[in-house]
Amino acid sequence: QRLGYLTPNQAEDEYYKWFSETSIYSFVNNCLTMTVPTRYVMEYIEHNLLPQVKDALEAAFGDGCSLRYRLAD
């Protein structure tokens, strides 16, 4: 499953560059864990796209949703 709520607010090329290899690993206790392919992608999302990601989480799951990352195996 992808974070499709980001697409309308992100330039399509940027969305695919940073999110095409991510996926939702789990959603437990209002905390979404996203699998990311590399630490670099995780840090880029955290430092450059976090407001958009938080907006997408709120749109998808409501207020108070937190985000965690998991590096792909």
Side-chain angles (χ1 to χ4, degrees):
Q1 185 174 2
R2 303 284 183 219
L3 296 175
Y5 282 92
L6 289 170
T7 306
N9 298 321
Q10 296 297 115
E12 195 167 325
D13 289 342
E14 183 177 22
Y15 172 82
Y16 285 107
K17 180 176 183 177
W18 297 110
F19 293 100
S20 64
E21 295 183 40
T22 67
S23 62
I24 295 173
Y25 178 73
S26 67
F27 185 73
V28 178
N29 296 327
N30 215 29
C31 178
L32 183 135
T33 302
M34 177 172 36
T35 300
V36 294
T38 65
R39 184 170 303 282
Y40 178 75
V41 169
M42 176 184 72
E43 290 173 356
Y44 185 89
I45 292 170
E46 188 72 19
H47 293 135
N48 298 288
L49 301 171
L50 190 57
Q52 295 93 324
V53 171
K54 293 226 176 220
D55 287 347
L57 291 177
E58 185 175 313
F61 303 109
D63 291 335
C65 183
S66 61
L67 175 66
R68 296 181 68 179
Y69 303 95
R70 173 186 177 272
L71 289 174
D73 297 330

